[in-house]
Amino acid sequence: VQNSAVPTAVEIYNVSDTEGQDQNLTLESLSMSRQVFGTGESFLVEAEVRNYGTVQTEQSTVQWTCDELSLGKTTVGSLEPGQSTKVTLRHTAGKPGFSRISCRIESADSLIADNERSLMLEIIEHVSVLLVDDLRDDDPLRTDRGFVLAALGYGDASANDGRSKSIFQVKTVTPQEFDTEILSQYRAVILPSVPELTAASVARMTDFVRQGGGAWLAPGDQTTPADFNRQFYRNGSGLSPLAIASAAGDLQKREEFITIHPPAKEH
């Protein structure tokens, strides 16, 4: 009633002059860790069931479906009024495309409108990623690019043909080649050791992120703090939420180290 766009009033007449004995199980929420998965990837769907009725409920079941095809059932134990419980389903992503995961409580209920919820998920075959690096060194142990490619499932850091079995399809380009790339073809852009880019490239990348694209900026030995702050921090209006300063510590004197305290989980 409070959220209705039209002014609404509800009047309740208890003609029996007794408290109602209502059973009302509600599917409070339906959630997944994310909504984009690779083909063949296993993931967990979690549903929260709460008893909003005035009486204890008996054991019931939850029916899971994907695009109207049954995925199985989960048992929900007896719940006291106000009590809730969580049930889960592990599912494996199928063919590329969009699918609807639905969950429905099967029980005798005074209010069936809140017994079902659905989520849309996207299943993809590949994740296209653009990696920007100067490509001056092909040694995977001497370049940031090599470590990034290895983490994404590429055994050869010089691989640029997308033949890896990894779900990530990575294309590596130089900062100069980056100027001509069509960013909408990629889901994310990675700068493993942020070099200086042209003003046009920074503007294109900023638009790409604002339209939903991903960006990973990793300051490294090619990064000049002044250039980074000018291009990506921009007094708080750029892609980076913080400005950076010169590197601390001494690579030659490892005993003179700087301690880094990671931010708290809720940061």
Side-chain angles (χ1 to χ4, degrees):
V1 171
Q2 292 175 347
N3 293 331
S4 174
V6 178
T8 305
V10 176
E11 295 183 5
I12 300 176
Y13 296 88
N14 186 359
V15 296
S16 64
D17 197 29
T18 60
E19 289 294 330
Q21 301 295 308
D22 296 322
Q23 179 171 303
N24 180 24
L25 282 178
T26 299
L27 195 56
E28 186 91 328
S29 64
L30 187 64
S31 61
M32 300 181 293
S33 59
R34 46 194 164 88
Q35 290 181 264
V36 179
F37 299 92
T39 54
E41 183 178 359
S42 177
F43 60 93
L44 202 66
V45 188
E46 182 179 82
E48 182 178 0
V49 180
R50 184 179 296 275
N51 181 7
Y52 276 105
T54 59
V55 295
Q56 180 179 349
T57 62
E58 299 179 354
Q59 179 176 291
S60 57
T61 58
V62 168
Q63 171 72 50
W64 301 88
T65 59
C66 180
D67 298 331
E68 307 304 325
L69 298 177
S70 176
L71 299 178
K73 295 184 178 181
T74 305
T75 300
V76 178
S78 175
L79 295 176
E80 296 285 346
Q83 186 180 5
S84 67
T85 187
K86 293 183 178 180
V87 292
T88 60
L89 171 78
R90 183 162 291 280
H91 181 58
T92 301
K95 297 180 180 179
F98 289 91
S99 292
R100 181 192 299 273
I101 294 284
S102 298
C103 181
R104 184 178 70 254
I105 302 173
E106 295 183 334
S107 68
D109 206 298
S110 300
L111 183 63
I112 62 173
D114 56 8
N115 284 20
E116 184 173 3
R117 282 183 181 269
S118 298
L119 285 177
M120 293 299 297
L121 66 147
E122 182 181 3
I123 302 171
I124 56 177
E125 191 170 2
H126 295 291
V127 178
S128 297
V129 176
L130 183 63
L131 193 151
V132 185
D133 191 81
D134 63 0
L135 308 178
R136 289 180 295 183
D137 195 333
D138 286 331
D139 184 349
L141 297 180
R142 294 177 58 86
T143 64
D144 297 301
R145 178 181 74 259
F147 288 111
V148 172
L149 289 174
L152 296 181
Y154 285 75
D156 182 0
S158 63
N160 201 32
D161 54 12
R163 290 181 298 180
S164 168
K165 294 182 180 179
S166 170
I167 189 176
F168 298 98
Q169 278 191 333
V170 183
K171 180 178 181 180
T172 55
V173 297
T174 65
Q176 294 72 33
E177 294 170 334
F178 180 70
D179 289 341
T180 59
E181 284 293 326
I182 301 175
L183 300 187
S184 59
Q185 296 178 348
Y186 304 95
R187 287 185 175 266
V189 175
I190 301 176
L191 278 66
S193 183
V194 185
E196 182 179 3
L197 300 177
T198 64
S201 290
V202 174
R204 290 172 59 245
M205 191 168 176
T206 302
D207 290 339
F208 169 71
V209 173
R210 287 175 176 168
Q211 293 172 16
W216 183 8
L217 308 177
D221 57 358
Q222 299 181 50
T223 307
T224 303
D227 292 332
F228 180 94
N229 294 336
R230 174 175 53 82
Q231 295 185 319
F232 296 106
Y233 176 58
R234 298 174 58 187
N235 294 321
S237 64
L239 292 180
S240 175
L242 295 174
I244 63 173
S246 299
D250 192 331
L251 285 176
Q252 305 304 319
K253 298 179 181 179
R254 295 303 180 96
E255 63 277 5
E256 298 181 9
F257 57 85
I258 300 296
T259 301
I260 298 177
H261 296 280
K265 180 180 178 180
E266 64 273 11
H267 189 283

